[in-house]
Amino acid sequence: MTDRHISVGQAVLPVGLTPDAITLLRFGAVTRNAHRIHYDTEFARSEGLAGPVVMAQLHGCLFYRAAAQFAGEGGQVREVEWQNRAPAGVGERLVVTGTVRSVGGVDGEITLDLVERCGSGDVVCCRGRAVVVPG
């Protein structure tokens, strides 16, 4: 267990990513997500989107990264969950931040409330939570 003091309301350090078209193509290949809204601009527009959009699973990966960073070396991420709220497009900056919701659950678990904003930071792309055990 960590010696650092963790308290309710404490900030989760930001984790960011600006996905480009190649990132989406590669992520889609690795996850076997070949939906055209993630790489075909005209198709995405025909579906009512401004252009290709980030996969839901990539948002989840950023939530996981934020939780793992908070847990620290030797820590564990026990749960991650999120709900997509708005699409994020190619080239938009994604930043996950959050706060500690609760401390001292089973085995020293800590619950984090997480939020991902995109673009200029005004749009909430995802909300969720993670449960971690610090290292």
Side-chain angles (χ1 to χ4, degrees):
M1 187 77 139
T2 183
D3 289 334
R4 66 183 176 158
H5 178 71
I6 298 172
S7 59
V8 172
Q10 181 176 333
V12 173
L13 294 176
V15 169
L17 175 72
T18 305
D20 59 16
I22 302 228
T23 301
L24 294 187
L25 181 66
R26 288 179 176 162
F27 191 84
V30 168
T31 60
R32 297 184 177 192
N33 184 342
H35 198 297
R36 290 173 58 191
I37 63 171
H38 302 302
Y39 65 86
D40 183 330
T41 301
E42 292 309 313
F43 183 80
R45 288 181 179 154
S46 76
E47 294 291 310
L49 301 163
V53 293
V54 174
M55 297 84 167
Q57 297 83 357
L58 185 55
H59 295 292
C61 286
L62 290 177
F63 271 53
Y64 180 87
R65 281 179 50 198
Q69 177 178 282
F70 188 87
E73 188 174 333
Q76 297 176 5
V77 177
R78 297 241 172 116
E79 296 176 32
V80 176
E81 62 183 50
W82 73 98
Q83 290 183 329
N84 293 0
R85 301 292 176 105
V90 171
E92 286 189 278
R93 181 78 178 153
L94 305 174
V95 178
V96 175
T97 59
T99 57
V100 173
R101 178 196 306 173
S102 65
V103 178
V106 175
D107 298 328
E109 289 181 341
I110 296 169
T111 301
L112 309 173
D113 285 325
L114 300 171
V115 62
E116 180 191 67
R117 290 184 166 75
C118 63
S120 65
D122 296 336
V123 176
V124 172
C125 291
C126 303
R127 288 194 182 276
R129 70 178 192 89
V131 177
V132 302
V133 176

